[in-house]
Amino acid sequence: MRPVDFRQVADVYECTNAPVTRHRLNHHAFRSYSLSLARLIRALGELAADEIWRSILSPLRRYGYSVCSAPVPFNEPVIRPDLDQLNRRKDKLTFVYPAEAIQLGVVLDHLTVLVDCADSPYAQWLSDSVRQHGTDGALLLRNTKLFGAVERHLFKFPYTKQLTLLSSSQLTRDNVFGTIYVVGAAKWFPPYVFEAPRARQIHIACYSWITDSPQKPRSFVAAAVPSTELDPDEETADETFDAGDLLPVVDWNSIRQHASSPETSNQLDSVEAMLALLESDAAVFLEASPGSTVLALDLDADDPKERLDRIDVKDVRIGTYLLLRTTGGGDYVVAEADKHFLKDQAEHLRAAQRHWKTLLLEEVKRTSPLHVSLRLLDLGSSRADEVNVRNYISARSIRTREPEDFAAIMRLVGLGDRADEYWDMMGQIDRAHRLAGFRIRRQLIRQLEHLDLNQLERTGKLDITLPDLEGGALTAFRVVDVSPEVHTISGYRVGHPFEV
Amino acid sequence: MNERVAKSLDLHYRDGDEWRPIPHWAKFLISLGASVASAEGDTRRIVVAVSVPSPCYAASFIALGRILAEPIVEPDPAAYTSHFEFLAALPARSPLIYFRRAELVHGPFLGTDSNNGEDGIWMVYQKPKQPPGKCFIPKRWSLRVELEPDHKGPAPRTGAGRLRKPKPFVERFFTREEHYRILCNTTKPVTVIGDTNRFRAETVVTPFAVPADERWIEGSLQDLIRVSKFAAGAIGCRSEILAKGRDPALEAAGAHTAGSLVILDGASAAIRRLHQYNNPNLVAVLQRTEPEYLAAVDLLNARYINRADDFEVKASVSPSPAISIMAHTEVRS
């Protein structure tokens, strides 16, 4: 059992009302770039959402966000956009959007200057601040993808190389720092960073032209003690860029289309799924039907057995850690079941499984799911409906819950006299799947005892290799966002992360 | 202020090699729990929302305040009747322990009888350097008797013993009479719904101490709040912890009595379980670091807007600046 350190908790309470000091930084070339990009986006209006402009604006915004959200130099190779490609795209737009293309040219001119500039205003500010406030500090970043680049860069400075890099989720623990340095706008971070601070003082730095109206404090309507409130920025007559507009926009439609394929049109194997955006520019579809579950990690649990849990998909939310298969095709439970439990029976049993499902699919194609469900009811099934018929066809289901439903299917597809034989064969597969699931779970639990989960909490992603699992690499991802809509997708897409 | 609650404000926690007084926020949470106990009404129940910066210790201290402020009542007739029937069925000469006049005495069971119209059991007791005595124990006191846990006779084994002398830490808070009454207790006035492991770490693992005659008497919150899940047997416990997730015991949530207090430890516990408890007094502890904090605040705000009346928390300790609270009353269902 992990002890709960009372001293640490007492320290957290002492950090209430920790002073938050804002620092405004300037950089002429970056300001010119940011504001010219803001002007271009304003000028484009709704056009900015068009695919052709989006493909140009996305890398430009991403670069701006990267240097606004992490202490890296402007010429950091990891964030450098492909200038040649952007210029080619600009040239193609010259005839169709001449005015906008000129504005884009201005942005690209500023960008050309920046990507050769080794300045790093944030790093300089950090170095000066740490020298002044002491080294008992941590650096909070929103952009966890740049942790590696930031570490490399800050290591060059004597005062900043000892800074601990943090993501917001690490600030839910009871570790308290002397000073937390925050890079970027306050509104980019969860409110608890300031409402339940884990430091005796907070210094936050942002570029001067970025307006950062703080998030509305979250409190009770009749609270006896008011919540912490950050002062808003002073109003300025200069041109500004709202911090909210700098954040990468989650384009759910684009992600969904990116993941779509011709198979999506196969209505028979379609499922309702929710789309979760994951750390490291990945996304995954999770089946949204009632009772659907997904493997998740609970970093708060102190027993490795309790860390691993199947949770309802409806309970997946921002900050949940999902465990997903990232190498090898298909379902790893199937591969494990065949290799370790069905062994030389696997081929025969899988062929039988494919056989009755193919016959049923043909029947559905010949008529309709509704017609098949009605026929099954006539033949003795009590649970056949359109949804269940789709489930029966799906490769992810093995057999029906009740034998009479299965017998009805067998009668419908002409295998009525072998119904018992098929029921038993599918039972063998079902048992093998359960055993394979337990086997994988045991291996995972063993691995979890040795893994550095702080790394997962810090970066939001951790690869887990199971040595005994055929082609078995799993990855734990932190959920960054969840699509507000449910999508209809091909069943085989469920649970497989893809790049966005 | 209740004397036991006042004593708990003098608890100390270990910081390295030193014992330090518990901080102001902890004292406030204890007094908050105590104030909910003292303000209960028959027709209305109290709902308190508490916002804290850390998930740890808030529910434990609120439970402590509530339990220390709670009057220690005689056991439920159904519980002592059932225990009496168990004792009555024992073979003669089965070895018993009996809490008699503030001390534990041992001796064999003689049988049952009726005295002045009241059923009871007879036993012989032996005190050091004194001749054996014989006593009649009325049925209503039967929970003060138990079978010796490590006996070798034919009677059924009952596991770890329930009747034990109080630890010195417990004696700082309860008299011996109160202690044995607690050991016969069959009602649990506090139910916490939250993270079982963390609650165990807070209540069982974390040491606390009280000063006495230039020394420290050490114990744990579990010694005082007696969570059934972390103790042997159900009798003698005063609180329970239920996992916020899938504990089937939650299905019986509606059975809680009007006098009991439910503490929803965490925003996710509040969101999942708030609707299940419409009768007991309720404290929802929301941690500002939880992803569901805002949703839970909205939920509690909606309950407040539909309140029967405001409720003034009359805690004996002033609120901590790190904690914000909102309290109201609702008509009991």
Side-chain angles (χ1 to χ4, degrees), chain B residues 39-180:
Chain B
E40 285 169 354
D42 291 335
T43 56
R44 290 183 179 182
R45 60 110 169 221
I46 301 158
V47 176
V48 183
V50 185
S51 164
V52 289
S54 164
C56 301
Y57 292 103
S60 308
F61 282 124
I62 294 169
L64 177 67
R66 172 67 168 83
I67 284 168
L68 292 182
E70 173 86 6
I72 301 161
V73 294
E74 289 292 347
D76 181 56
Y80 66 67
T81 300
S82 154
H83 191 64
F84 175 78
E85 284 164 3
F86 166 77
L87 294 172
L90 290 174
R93 316 251 358 125
S94 292
L96 298 181
I97 307 173
Y98 171 40
F99 170 64
R100 181 175 183 272
R101 293 178 190 162
E103 62 180 331
L104 288 177
V105 295
H106 302 253
F109 170 61
L110 295 179
T112 56
D113 199 355
S114 189
N115 194 357
N116 292 329
E118 188 171 19
D119 289 342
I121 63 172
W122 282 97
M123 74 177 276
V124 175
Y125 64 90
Q126 182 76 55
K127 292 171 76 175
K129 297 178 185 171
Q130 284 186 26
K134 186 176 153 188
C135 64
F136 178 80
I137 304 156
K139 181 179 174 180
R140 64 192 145 86
W141 287 2
S142 60
L143 279 164
R144 296 176 177 221
V145 181
E146 73 174 350
L147 191 60
E148 289 269 14
D150 51 356
H151 73 92
K152 303 278 191 299
R157 306 297 294 267
T158 53
R162 173 171 54 89
L163 297 178
R164 292 178 189 176
K165 285 182 183 169
K167 291 179 183 175
F169 181 74
V170 174
E171 283 187 305
R172 302 297 299 177
F173 293 87
F174 301 104
T175 63
R176 287 216 165 178
E177 175 61 30
E178 286 170 338
H179 170 71
Y180 283 101

Side-chain angles (χ1 to χ4, degrees), chain B residues 60-303:
Chain B
S60 308
F61 282 124
I62 294 169
L64 177 67
R66 172 67 168 83
I67 284 168
L68 292 182
E70 173 86 6
I72 301 161
V73 294
E74 289 292 347
D76 181 56
Y80 66 67
T81 300
S82 154
H83 191 64
F84 175 78
E85 284 164 3
F86 166 77
L87 294 172
L90 290 174
R93 316 251 358 125
S94 292
L96 298 181
I97 307 173
Y98 171 40
F99 170 64
R100 181 175 183 272
R101 293 178 190 162
E103 62 180 331
L104 288 177
V105 295
H106 302 253
F109 170 61
L110 295 179
T112 56
D113 199 355
S114 189
N115 194 357
N116 292 329
E118 188 171 19
D119 289 342
I121 63 172
W122 282 97
M123 74 177 276
V124 175
Y125 64 90
Q126 182 76 55
K127 292 171 76 175
K129 297 178 185 171
Q130 284 186 26
K134 186 176 153 188
C135 64
F136 178 80
I137 304 156
K139 181 179 174 180
R140 64 192 145 86
W141 287 2
S142 60
L143 279 164
R144 296 176 177 221
V145 181
E146 73 174 350
L147 191 60
E148 289 269 14
D150 51 356
H151 73 92
K152 303 278 191 299
R157 306 297 294 267
T158 53
R162 173 171 54 89
L163 297 178
R164 292 178 189 176
K165 285 182 183 169
K167 291 179 183 175
F169 181 74
V170 174
E171 283 187 305
R172 302 297 299 177
F173 293 87
F174 301 104
T175 63
R176 287 216 165 178
E177 175 61 30
E178 286 170 338
H179 170 71
Y180 283 101
R181 242 198 244 179
I182 288 169
L183 294 184
C184 301
N185 179 60
T186 53
T187 56
K188 288 177 233 160
V190 174
T191 300
V192 178
I193 297 170
D195 182 336
T196 310
N197 281 337
R198 176 165 53 75
F199 199 67
R200 186 199 297 266
E202 293 168 13
T203 55
V204 179
V205 180
T206 307
F208 288 91
V210 283
D213 306 328
E214 297 183 355
R215 65 194 175 98
W216 295 101
I217 300 175
E218 203 174 320
S220 67
L221 297 183
Q222 168 67 359
D223 294 329
L224 305 176
I225 67 176
R226 303 184 65 86
V227 185
S228 56
K229 193 159 194 151
F230 313 145
I235 297 177
C237 294
R238 307 196 76 199
S239 57
E240 61 183 330
I241 168 88
L242 302 175
K244 67 187 172 196
R246 297 173 183 159
D247 197 325
L250 286 168
E251 303 311 319
H256 278 268
T257 60
S260 59
L261 172 68
V262 170
I263 302 173
L264 300 173
D265 188 9
S268 64
I271 288 170
R272 291 178 192 196
R273 304 295 170 197
L274 185 62
H275 66 280
Q276 282 183 306
Y277 297 93
N278 293 315
N279 205 22
N281 293 319
L282 192 140
V283 177
V285 182
L286 312 183
Q287 291 111 32
R288 297 198 274 276
T289 53
E290 281 191 282
E292 291 162 308
Y293 174 74
L294 188 56
V297 167
D298 289 344
L299 195 62
L300 267 303
N301 280 340
R303 296 291 280 251

Side-chain angles (χ1 to χ4, degrees), chain A residues 232-457:
Chain A
D233 275 347
E234 288 175 14
E235 290 204 8
T236 169
D238 294 337
E239 193 175 3
T240 57
F241 202 146
D242 188 85
D245 294 338
L246 269 170
L247 284 177
V249 179
V250 182
D251 186 347
W252 293 111
N253 276 336
S254 166
I255 295 171
R256 187 177 53 79
Q257 282 164 14
H258 183 80
S260 69
S261 65
E263 291 91 329
T264 315
S265 58
N266 179 1
Q267 294 293 310
L268 295 175
D269 190 27
S270 60
V271 293
E272 300 275 280
M274 60 169 263
L275 183 54
L277 190 64
L278 309 171
E279 209 69 70
S280 300
D281 292 336
V284 68
F285 285 111
L286 302 170
E287 190 165 347
S289 58
S292 296
T293 60
V294 62
L295 208 51
L297 283 179
D298 177 1
L299 300 194
D300 288 329
D302 34 56
D303 185 341
K305 284 179 195 158
E306 291 172 0
R307 260 181 224 144
L308 192 64
D309 196 13
R310 278 211 161 266
I311 61 166
D312 287 346
V313 168
K314 65 179 168 51
D315 289 336
V316 171
R317 41 187 50 90
I318 296 170
T320 303
Y321 291 90
L322 301 179
L323 206 51
L324 303 166
R325 193 180 194 198
T326 37
T327 62
D331 190 337
Y332 52 85
V333 175
V334 173
E336 282 291 283
D338 288 1
K339 185 180 173 193
H340 295 284
F341 301 104
L342 296 178
K343 297 179 181 173
D344 50 354
Q345 286 284 302
E347 198 175 326
H348 166 63
L349 294 172
R350 293 294 179 192
Q353 187 185 16
R354 278 193 302 274
H355 182 56
W356 74 261
K357 282 177 184 286
T358 306
L359 292 173
L360 183 62
L361 176 63
E362 283 169 2
E363 193 64 28
V364 171
K365 279 180 179 170
R366 205 171 55 77
T367 55
S368 71
L370 176 64
H371 182 83
V372 167
S373 66
L374 294 173
R375 288 280 314 278
L376 289 174
L377 291 173
D378 290 342
L379 290 167
S381 169
S382 56
R383 286 165 195 81
D385 57 25
E386 279 186 89
V387 174
N388 281 340
V389 166
R390 289 177 201 276
N391 282 340
Y392 302 153
I393 293 167
S394 167
R396 284 168 290 114
S397 77
I398 297 169
R399 65 178 184 184
T400 59
R401 190 168 293 175
E402 301 299 331
E404 64 263 24
D405 297 312
F406 192 74
I409 296 170
M410 292 294 104
R411 282 194 280 275
L412 179 71
V413 300
L415 294 170
D417 53 339
R418 298 178 65 191
D420 290 345
E421 181 194 347
Y422 268 77
W423 175 257
D424 290 343
M425 286 194 290
M426 296 308 106
Q428 286 182 55
I429 295 177
D430 193 40
R431 275 191 298 280
H433 275 225
R434 286 174 201 277
L435 292 169
F438 289 137
R439 189 170 189 277
I440 293 165
R441 185 180 167 79
R442 277 198 302 274
Q443 290 180 42
L444 271 171
I445 288 168
R446 270 203 302 274
Q447 285 293 92
L448 288 174
E449 287 173 10
H450 309 296
L451 287 172
D452 179 8
L453 295 179
N454 287 329
Q455 169 76 6
L456 172 59
E457 197 164 43

